[in-house]
Amino acid sequence: SRLSFNQVLTAWSKVQNPEAAQRAQDILNQMRDGGKSTNHDLTPNIASYSAVVFAWCKSQHQDSGRRAERILKRAEKHSRQSPDEVVLDNVIYNLVIDAHSKTSSNKAHLRARTVLDRLIAQYDDGLERCKPDVYSFTSVLGSCASLSGSKNERRQAFEVAKATFDDMLRSGVKPNHVSYGIMIKACARLIPMGKERQKYTSAYFKDACRDGCVGAMVLDRLKEASSTNQYNALLKVESENSLPADWTANVPAHEKYSRKNGQSNKMKKTITRKRRQI
């Protein structure tokens, strides 16, 4: 049955290697061929396609983004032909965006943005389950901020990130502490040190303060993006441990900034866990 096949697909998707992803894709092909012949109960649904996309996302294959996108295109085609069998949602699009963001290609951010645009188009066409969420936009931001390329390529990547962040706001999706952290990372990695970088770094940090999204990630990225003078001027407090409560209101407790001997909450938990394992 489809349920049994989907359970097998889910199991393969949790194995982090290209062979497992290919095996999941082979099973998807078997489901498609079986559904076309005699047993319509084997026809893939959105869970089937998403499991295979997830497998490629976790595979660490150098071409995982494009392979995941090919599965998405098959799901889109299936949905157009049989909309009751395959109901598209934002999960499968988010997985493909994430798969692109994990590759080393200098075009990964552009491919990720193209998938986001397709997700937006699906939602605009009336598919409620395809509404982009904070993960959709933030994954594209991460792909942009991770680019290693020429000065012109980094400049282009920043423009894509900036436009994506603006689109997130226009769509009514609220950025979170990760979104702001990644945008400040983009300032640090994609814009040369100077007045323009200072301007954007300051603007995104002030917006993070306003939205209660100043966590450890934001402060760590702020240190990378700004000079010591700018960092101290933006904080306006004696130490990171005395931030105004409204600056951190929407940050999960384990992501808030609390340093002792140079260790954040998250880092201290990791070290404690490793010590217990020794």
Side-chain angles (χ1 to χ4, degrees), residues 135-247:
Y135 188 85
S136 313
F137 291 99
T138 301
S139 293
V140 176
L141 300 181
S143 184
C144 294
S146 298
L147 177 77
S148 296
S150 66
K151 181 179 179 180
N152 288 338
E153 287 174 328
R154 292 197 302 272
R155 180 75 235 184
Q156 181 193 45
F158 181 76
E159 293 301 327
V160 173
K162 181 175 177 294
T164 300
F165 193 89
D166 292 343
D167 288 342
M168 176 165 52
L169 297 177
R170 278 193 291 270
S171 70
V173 175
K174 293 183 179 181
N176 60 20
H177 64 289
V178 178
S179 311
Y180 280 112
I182 291 177
M183 276 310 300
I184 297 174
K185 175 185 177 181
C187 294
R189 296 202 60 191
L190 305 177
I191 307 176
M193 183 64 81
K195 291 183 178 179
E196 184 183 30
R197 180 156 138 186
Q198 291 176 356
K199 179 185 75 172
Y200 282 114
T201 298
S202 177
Y204 288 121
F205 179 72
K206 289 178 180 178
D207 287 348
C209 295
R210 178 200 63 204
D211 293 341
C213 292
V214 181
M217 181 180 183
V218 167
L219 291 179
D220 287 343
R221 299 309 184 191
L222 182 63
K223 285 182 178 179
E224 296 175 9
S226 60
S227 65
T228 301
N229 288 339
Q230 184 184 18
Y231 182 83
N232 292 333
L234 287 170
L235 250 59
K236 301 178 182 178
V237 291
E238 292 184 1
S239 76
E240 294 91 343
N241 291 326
S242 58
L243 297 175
D246 57 329
W247 285 16

Side-chain angles (χ1 to χ4, degrees), residues 72 76 88-90 93-94 97 112-133 136-138 140 160 163-173:
L72 172 61
E76 290 174 330
L88 296 171
D89 58 25
N90 61 7
Y93 285 89
N94 288 352
I97 293 171
R113 176 66 215 215
T114 298
V115 175
L116 173 61
D117 289 337
R118 280 158 55 191
L119 174 62
I120 294 171
Q122 295 282 15
Y123 180 67
D124 289 343
D125 285 343
L127 289 180
E128 290 293 327
R129 294 178 65 178
C130 284
K131 183 177 182 179
D133 58 18
S136 313
F137 291 99
T138 301
V140 176
V160 173
T164 300
F165 193 89
D166 292 343
D167 288 342
M168 176 165 52
L169 297 177
R170 278 193 291 270
S171 70
V173 175

